[in-house]
Amino acid sequence: MGKKMQIALTVNGEAHDLLAEPRELLIYVLRERLNLTGPHAGCETSHCGACTIEMNGKSVKSCTVFAAQANGATITTIEGLGSPDSLSVLQQSFREHHGLQCGYCTPGMITRAHRLLQENPDPTEEEVRFGISGNLCRCTGYQNIVKAILAAAATINGAKEAAE
Amino acid sequence: MNDLTPTPQERTAKLKGLGTSRKRVEDARFTQGKGNYVDDIKMPGMLHGDFVRSPYAHARVKSINADAARALPGVIAVLTAADLAPLNLHWMPTLAGDRQMVLADGKVLFQGQEVAFVVATDRYVCADAIELVEVDYEELPVVTDPFKALEPGAPVLREDLAGQTSGAHGARRHHNHIFLWETGDESATNQAIEAAEVVAEEMIYYHRVHPCPLETCGCVASMDKVNGKLTVFGTFQAPHVVRTVASLLSGIEEHNIRVVSPDIGGGFGNKVGVYPGYVCSIVASIVTGKPVKWIEDRMDNLMATAFARDYWMKGRISATKDGRITGLHCHVTADHGAFDACADPTKFPAGFFHICTGSYDIPVAYVGVDGVYTNKAPGGVAYRCSFRVTEAAYFIERMIEVLAMELGMDAAELRAKNFIRKDQFPYNSALGWEYDSGDYHTAWDKALAAVDYAGLRREQAERVAAFKRGETRKLLGIGLTHFTEIVGAGPVKNCDILGMGMFDSCEIRIHPTGSAIARLGTISQGQGHATTFAQILATEIGLPADSITIEEGDTDTAPYGLGTYGSRSTPVAGAATAMAGRKIRAKAQMIAAWLLEVHDGDLEWDIDRFVVKGAPERFKTMKDIAYAAYHNAIPGIEPGLEAVSYYDPPNMTYPFGAYVCVMEIDVDTGTHEVRQFYALDDCGTRINPMIIEGQVHGGLTEALAIAMGQEIAYDAIGNCKNSTLMDFFLPTAVETPHYTTDHTETPSPHHPIGAKGVGESPNVGGVPAFSNAVHDAFRAFGLRQAHMPHDHWRIWKIANQLGLHG
C-alpha cells in the first residue's frame, strides 16, 4: 500500500477532491468512491471498452488509467451525457434502433460514440465501425449499434442545418 | 361510457401485443448507465473475497501457509479446504451428478483452480494478500488430451473416485472415464452402413470455447444473523435452483434464503452453474457476519468458470448412390475437464446431442458419448445453445458436406433430397425425438432463391478456373446450413435439474385501475423479457403492454422456475404467461357477465373486452373488469384478479433455419471476408420481430467468433493459452459482417401461442455456416475436413497443405 495522494477531478461538471492510493485505477475511483456505476469493468486489460469515459476531450479506458494520472482532469461519464428528462440524441437512438441488449457495454459504447461524433460529425458506416472497434459487444453483433450511431449523426446534423 | 370510436385496428395497436416491434422498456436505465449489475451492489460493511488460484494443471498441494496474508492489515480471513471440511463444504455437487472441489483438497486438477479464499476490506488488500499466501505444490504428470487420458498408463486424475467402477451415468471403464452414454440401435446402424453403396467417414472436432459474457460471474452474499436470513445477489441464470442448492448445502431452510439475480450483463450459459466463488462468499459471510462480494476478473472467468464444447465426434454416414441417406453412426469423445460439471438435464449427460440427425429423415442411427476427465477446467455448458445442440448441428452439417463430396453431389441438393417432409410431422427421429413441426423445403427454397444459389455456384466455378489460370489469389466459399434445434426444456417426465422438474411459471396480478404486474421464474440477461412477456400478456388479457410490469429474478417474490438458458424462456415461461393470462380472462368473463347481466356463455372476447354476442355495443373492457374485481361484491366470485400458472411443456419445440454464408478467402494471407450472410429463421409465432432480429445478429456474431478464431487451448503441461481478451477472440465491429435476416413461420402445435424460441438458433446454425464456407472454398482442391477455429494462420495452413502456395 502506498501513501494516499490528493486528487482533484471534475466529473460531469462537478468538482471532487479525494484521497487515493497511487495504484488505484480510475474506474475504481469512479465506481467505488464517486458511485458512478455507469462505466463497467469487463476485462481490466483495455480490450473491451465497457469502462470507456471521456477525459480531457478524449475517449479513455478508465480500467487502465491510474486515478493519479487523471489528477486535474475533466471527465465525462455516461451519467453526464443526458438526464432522464432530456436524453441525448445517442441515448434515444440506441433505444430506437435496438442498439443494446444486456446493456453492459452500452454506457461505454454510447460514451465512445459521443466522442466519435465530436471528432467526425458525419461518419460513413466504415468509419463508425472502425471508430467503435475499441468497444466490444457480445449481444448485438454491432449492426444495430452502427445503425443507431449513423441515425444519431443524421439527427444531430439535421438539427444543426435547421438551426442555420 | 362505452366508447365505440377506436377501430379494432386502433385497439390492437394500442396493446403493442404479439408481433409488434415494441421498443424495449429495459433501455431507459441501460442507456443512462443506471443498470443494476451485481458489481454495482454495495452494502454497509461489505467485504471482498478473491481466490488464490493454482498455477499448475496437476499438482499435489503439500502445504498452504497463510500466516503472512492473515497478518496483513485489512485481511479478515483466509479460507482453505481445511476450514470448509468441518462444514462438509470443501466439495460441492455438480449439476451432472459428479462433485467438484470448492477449494483444493490435497491436489489441484486444472490451472486456475481455486486453492484458498481471501476475505479483506477491499479489493486491493485482497490482491495483496493473495500474493502473500504460500502454497507448496508438487507437480504431477498432466493430461490434456482426452484420448491419452484413456490410455492404460495415464495418470490418475480423480483419486477421490478410486475403486468406483460406476458413476452417476453408469459404468466407468477406466480411472479417467466418466460415462458411456448411448442411444439408438447400433447393430442396425452398422448393418445399414455396411450394406450401403456409399459411406463417408470423418472425425469432426468442435473445439473448446468459452461463453465470455462481457460481465463476468460474481455475487454478494449477506448473512443477517439478527433475523437469520441469507441474501445472495448474483449472476444467476437460474436463481431459484441456486436457492435450493444453497439450502441443501448450507442447511439453512429455504424460506430463509433469498436469491436475487439483478441485471445480468450477458450469460450465454456461463451463469447457469454453481461456482466455488458463490459457496465461499456465502461461507465467508456466515463466518464474518458481514456481506461478502466476489467478482471474477476476466482471467478467472476464462480459466475457471464454464467452458463449452470440446467434443471429438467420429462420424460415419451412409447413402445410396443417388444420395438418399441410409444410416448415421456417431461416437463422441467428450472432454469434460477435471470435474463433470456439465449443465444438462439429469438424465442427459450428453445433453440433447442426439438431435444430431438434424433436419434429415435418417432411418437408423446410433450415438455413443464417452465422457473423459482431463486436467482442464470443468464446465461443459450450453454456450448460447440448448444442451449440446450446437455440437450436434455442427456434426451433421459437416457430415452432410463430407457425404456430398463422397457422392460428387451438390450439398444443397443432397440436403433437399433428405429433408423431413412437411407431411411427416410430427416426426419421430431414429434417436427418439418427436419433432413437433417444420417446413424445411419451403425455408430452403426461399433461402437459395434469396442468395441466387445457382448464380453463386457459377461464380465460384469461374473463380476456381481463374485461380488455376493464375488470375486471382482469392477463392469463394458458399457455406450452407439447414439446422434443426431442440429447445424449451422441458417436459417434467424426463427433464430435471438436481431433481427439479423443468417446468416454468408466471404469476399475474391485475391492479384495480387496469394495469398489472407479472412475475416469472426465468431471468433476462439481455433478451428483453420485460418487453416481450408483456406483449404476450397484452394479447392474452387486452391490457396495453405499456401497463404491464414484468419482474423476474427475486426468489422471495417470483414463482419457482428453472431459469433462462437453452432457449427455454419463451417455450416454457412464455407458455406459462399465456396460460396464466387465460385464467385471468376466464375470471374476467364471469365478472363481465355479472356486470352486463348476461350468461357468461353469451360473451365473446374481442381484443381488449368482452362483448355480448350479437350486440357489439354492449361490452366491458378489461380495464372496466379490473376495477369491478376490486370494487363490486359479486355473488360467488372472490374479489381480486390474479392468476398463477406452472407450465409443464408436453414436448420440446424445434426451431429451424436455413443459412447461407458467402465468403472470400485470400489464399496467401489466410484472411477472409464475409461478403454476404443470409439467415432465415423459423421460430414459430414471432412475438417481437425487432428483438428476434437483434438476437439473430448477436448469435451470428458469436458463431463467427467460434468458427473463425475463438478457442480455449492448453499447452502440453496444461497452461491455458487464451485467458485474456488479448488471446481470446471476440469480434469487433470491424470484423463483424452485415447480416440479412429473413423468416418463415411454422407455429409449434403444442405451445399456447405457437412460439418456439430463437435466441440460440443463430449460434447453432451460424457455426456450421461459417465453417462450411471455409471448407467449401477449398472443396475444388480436395479439402474434406479442417478443424475450427478457422483463424488466418489455420486457413493459410489449409492452403499450404493443399499445395496452393506453389
Side-chain angles (χ1 to χ4, degrees):
Chain A
M1 262 190 287
K3 202 175 153 215
K4 290 199 172 174
M5 296 175 63
Q6 189 80 31
I7 293 165
L9 303 170
T10 303
V11 184
N12 301 331
E14 236 177 87
H16 296 273
D17 275 304
L18 49 93
L19 284 172
E21 285 183 52
R23 63 175 177 172
E24 267 179 53
L25 295 168
L26 183 55
I27 180 83
Y28 184 84
V29 167
L30 293 173
R31 290 179 52 85
E32 303 297 329
R33 296 187 186 278
L34 305 183
N35 290 318
L36 293 167
T37 53
H40 298 133
C43 68
E44 303 100 5
T45 51
S46 66
H47 288 95
C48 82
C51 64
T52 303
I53 56 149
E54 199 168 300
M55 184 164 102
N56 298 332
K58 281 185 178 157
S59 290
V60 161
K61 292 178 177 174
S62 61
C63 78
T64 34
V65 175
F66 291 117
Q69 290 172 286
N71 192 14
T74 300
I75 287 169
T76 306
T77 68
I78 185 72
E79 288 92 341
L81 289 182
S83 66
D85 301 325
S86 69
L87 291 181
S88 76
V89 174
L90 271 164
Q91 285 168 323
Q92 291 175 49
S93 190
F94 267 63
R95 174 166 194 262
E96 189 61 32
H97 297 280
H98 191 29
L100 65 149
Q101 290 179 29
C102 81
Y104 201 76
C105 77
T106 309
M109 195 67 85
I110 292 179
T111 309
R112 170 58 199 147
H114 174 76
R115 176 50 37 192
L116 174 67
L117 295 186
Q118 308 286 311
E119 292 161 357
N120 181 358
D122 192 16
T124 63
E125 173 171 345
E126 202 181 350
E127 285 166 344
V128 170
R129 285 183 178 267
F130 185 76
I132 61 167
S133 62
N135 293 68
L136 297 175
C137 170
R138 294 286 289 140
C139 297
T140 65
Y142 305 103
Q143 194 156 319
N144 289 342
I145 292 178
V146 172
K147 212 197 272 183
I149 296 171
L150 288 170
T155 304
I156 295 165
N157 294 336
K160 265 190 220 154
E161 272 171 35
E164 275 162 14
Chain B
M1 276 296 281
N2 286 345
D3 184 6
L4 279 171
T5 330
T7 64
Q9 291 76 15
E10 284 167 338
R11 288 193 280 129
T12 302
K14 196 180 163 209
L15 296 181
K16 298 186 188 169
L18 284 186
T20 312
S21 282
R22 180 181 183 224
K23 305 300 177 201
R24 298 201 331 162
V25 297
E26 294 88 343
D27 292 357
R29 66 180 189 277
F30 292 150
T31 54
Q32 295 179 72
K34 297 293 182 193
N36 183 36
Y37 302 90
V38 66
D39 198 19
D40 300 340
I41 293 168
K42 279 187 193 175
M43 299 179 82
M46 188 171 76
L47 303 172
H48 294 264
D50 203 354
F51 286 107
V52 177
R53 292 178 182 275
S54 171
Y56 298 111
H58 195 196
R60 210 164 291 293
V61 177
K62 296 179 76 179
S63 66
I64 300 173
N65 182 348
D67 292 348
R70 288 198 181 95
L72 188 71
V75 173
I76 308 298
V78 180
L79 301 177
T80 65
D83 301 306
L84 300 183
L87 306 166
N88 201 26
L89 287 174
H90 53 321
W91 289 75
M92 63 179 185
T94 68
L95 296 180
D98 194 5
R99 60 188 203 136
Q100 175 178 351
M101 287 180 213
V102 174
L103 291 171
D105 183 20
K107 71 189 289 196
V108 287
L109 287 157
F110 67 94
Q111 187 184 50
Q113 188 178 332
E114 300 82 357
V115 174
F117 190 66
V118 173
V119 183
T121 47
D122 79 33
R123 287 176 196 187
Y124 286 86
V125 179
C126 249
D128 289 340
I130 285 167
E131 295 300 314
L132 294 174
V133 177
E134 290 171 22
V135 185
D136 189 10
Y137 296 99
E138 178 193 325
E139 285 183 75
L140 296 168
V142 170
V143 190
T144 56
D145 177 333
F147 297 98
K148 288 185 180 156
L150 289 180
E151 286 173 2
V156 178
L157 304 188
R158 291 289 299 277
E159 288 161 359
D160 61 300
L161 300 178
Q164 288 191 22
T165 53
S166 73
H169 305 291
R172 300 173 65 221
R173 64 170 189 271
H174 179 279
H175 53 260
N176 293 329
H177 184 242
I178 311 172
F179 61 81
L180 168 63
W181 185 81
E182 294 177 286
T183 190
D185 186 337
E186 186 168 27
S187 72
T189 304
N190 284 336
Q191 274 175 25
I193 291 173
E194 276 155 28
E197 292 169 339
V198 180
V199 178
E201 192 170 332
E202 199 54 70
M203 173 68 94
I204 314 286
Y205 179 46
Y206 198 141
H207 58 301
R208 181 175 274 237
V209 290
H210 193 285
C212 194
L214 208 51
E215 178 202 35
T216 58
C217 299
C219 71
V220 179
S222 176
M223 183 72 212
D224 183 334
K225 291 195 172 177
V226 175
N227 62 21
K229 266 213 143 188
L230 171 69
T231 305
V232 189
F233 300 91
T235 47
F236 307 130
Q237 288 182 237
H240 300 272
V241 180
V242 169
R243 186 187 68 190
T244 302
V245 172
S247 175
L248 292 172
L249 286 182
S250 68
I252 300 171
E253 279 197 85
E254 206 166 352
H255 73 105
N256 277 330
I257 302 177
R258 177 182 172 218
V259 173
V260 183
S261 297
D263 287 327
I264 296 182
F268 316 123
N270 193 179
K271 294 166 180 171
V272 173
V274 172
Y275 300 122
Y278 304 152
V279 177
C280 289
S281 302
I282 291 170
V283 172
S285 181
I286 293 171
V287 170
T288 62
K290 293 191 171 169
V292 176
K293 180 187 271 188
W294 165 72
I295 304 288
E296 283 181 322
D297 69 17
R298 182 55 62 190
M299 281 185 81
D300 300 340
N301 178 251
L302 288 171
M303 285 171 76
T305 45
F307 80 91
R309 327 298 193 225
D310 218 345
Y311 258 33
W312 292 90
M313 304 174 286
K314 176 91 177 167
R316 277 186 298 147
I317 189 166
S318 61
T320 59
K321 268 186 293 195
D322 63 350
R324 171 72 59 188
I325 299 172
T326 58
L328 178 71
H329 187 286
C330 179
H331 176 265
V332 181
T333 301
D335 186 339
H336 285 217
F339 308 97
D340 187 9
C342 292
D344 293 314
T346 306
K347 295 186 187 73
F348 300 95
F352 303 155
F353 181 77
H354 47 311
I355 191 73
C356 68
T357 52
S359 310
Y360 311 102
D361 183 11
I362 301 180
V364 61
Y366 163 81
V367 165
V369 180
D370 273 308
V372 184
Y373 290 123
T374 61
N375 289 120
K376 292 151 95 170
V381 299
Y383 170 6
R384 202 165 186 152
C385 75
S386 177
F387 318 114
R388 304 287 187 183
V389 171
T390 187
E391 287 92 327
Y394 185 64
F395 169 73
I396 186 63
E397 289 302 296
R398 283 299 309 137
M399 288 308 293
I400 289 284
E401 294 281 321
V402 172
L403 179 63
M405 274 188 88
E406 197 74 45
L407 289 162
M409 201 171 165
D410 179 83
E413 189 192 337
L414 177 61
R415 284 181 172 87
K417 190 160 201 162
N418 289 284
F419 282 148
I420 300 161
R421 295 184 319 274
K422 191 180 174 185
D423 59 75
Q424 287 176 281
F425 291 95
Y427 171 82
N428 291 297
S429 80
L431 294 175
W433 297 115
E434 185 188 304
Y435 290 35
D436 66 348
S437 59
D439 183 358
Y440 301 162
H441 285 99
T442 299
W444 194 239
D445 293 345
K446 191 174 181 185
L448 296 186
V451 299
D452 182 19
Y453 180 67
L456 283 173
R457 285 293 177 204
R458 279 195 300 277
E459 185 188 349
Q460 185 185 44
E462 284 159 18
R463 183 73 68 86
V464 170
F467 182 87
K468 286 180 175 165
R469 291 194 302 269
E471 292 165 14
T472 180
R473 297 297 291 164
K474 283 192 175 177
L475 294 173
L476 186 69
I478 304 162
L480 303 175
T481 288
H482 191 289
F483 64 91
T484 295
E485 284 186 280
I486 171 166
V487 307
V492 172
K493 64 178 186 284
N494 60 3
C495 287
D496 71 88
I497 285 185
L498 294 176
M500 299 295 121
M502 295 182 75
F503 59 83
D504 226 290
S505 59
C506 176
E507 182 188 277
I508 305 167
R509 288 184 193 175
I510 310 292
H511 306 315
T513 51
S515 66
I517 183 165
R519 297 187 171 99
L520 292 89
T522 44
I523 177 69
S524 188
Q525 308 126 39
Q527 295 91 337
H529 289 179
T531 305
T532 52
F533 286 128
Q535 291 182 254
I536 294 177
L537 212 45
T539 296
E540 290 293 339
I541 65 173
L543 293 176
D546 290 346
S547 301
I548 301 170
T549 295
I550 299 290
E551 207 180 83
E552 305 172 300
D554 184 336
T555 60
D556 264 8
T557 55
Y560 204 100
L562 271 277
T564 295
Y565 44 85
S567 280
R568 64 184 302 283
S569 299
T570 296
V572 192
T577 305
M579 298 309 276
R582 288 171 196 182
K583 288 182 184 175
I584 295 281
R585 214 163 78 187
K587 183 170 177 183
Q589 186 166 0
M590 309 286 283
I591 297 170
W594 184 82
L595 290 171
L596 291 161
E597 299 179 347
V598 295
H599 188 273
D600 57 290
D602 296 331
L603 294 174
E604 60 189 0
W605 177 252
D606 177 32
I607 303 168
D608 56 356
R609 61 193 60 181
F610 279 105
V611 179
V612 177
K613 285 177 191 167
E617 74 288 355
R618 295 192 63 210
F619 63 83
K620 287 291 169 191
T621 65
M622 192 52 114
K623 202 174 165 160
D624 302 331
I625 297 166
Y627 184 72
Y630 292 89
H631 181 73
N632 296 76
I634 306 173
I637 298 179
E638 285 180 9
L641 195 50
E642 300 188 4
V644 59
S645 172
Y646 282 78
Y647 188 79
D648 177 10
N651 191 3
M652 314 277 186
T653 60
Y654 297 76
F656 62 93
Y659 292 177
V660 184
C661 172
V662 184
M663 190 184 278
E664 299 268 356
I665 286 181
D666 186 313
V667 168
D668 296 318
T669 60
T671 54
H672 71 272
E673 183 200 341
V674 176
R675 191 174 87 184
Q676 182 182 6
F677 199 108
Y678 170 88
L680 178 152
D681 277 283
D682 191 318
C683 58
T685 303
R686 289 154 57 83
I687 298 165
N688 182 322
M690 176 192 83
I691 284 181
I692 291 171
E693 190 183 53
Q695 290 283 313
V696 174
H697 292 166
L700 288 175
T701 305
E702 291 194 338
L704 172 83
I706 292 168
M708 306 308 289
Q710 192 173 88
E711 67 176 323
I712 295 286
Y714 292 83
D715 68 12
I717 57 168
N719 290 308
C720 178
K721 298 199 287 185
N722 315 83
S723 57
T724 72
L725 295 190
M726 177 74 92
D727 311 298
F728 186 78
F729 175 55
L730 299 182
T732 71
V734 172
E735 289 99 29
T736 304
H738 190 278
Y739 306 111
T740 305
T741 57
D742 202 347
H743 68 277
T744 56
E745 195 164 328
T746 312
S748 168
H750 61 79
H751 187 281
I753 62 164
K756 292 183 175 176
V758 73
E760 296 164 339
S761 303
N763 196 332
V764 170
V767 173
F770 286 114
S771 180
N772 282 345
V774 174
H775 285 90
D776 185 70
F778 293 103
R779 177 173 165 165
F781 304 92
L783 178 69
R784 255 174 85 114
Q785 175 61 24
H787 297 319
M788 296 188 290
H790 307 300
D791 54 26
H792 303 164
W793 175 67
R794 285 180 172 98
I795 291 180
W796 181 90
K797 263 206 325 191
I798 293 169
N800 193 261
Q801 282 162 3
L802 292 172
L804 303 183
H805 291 152

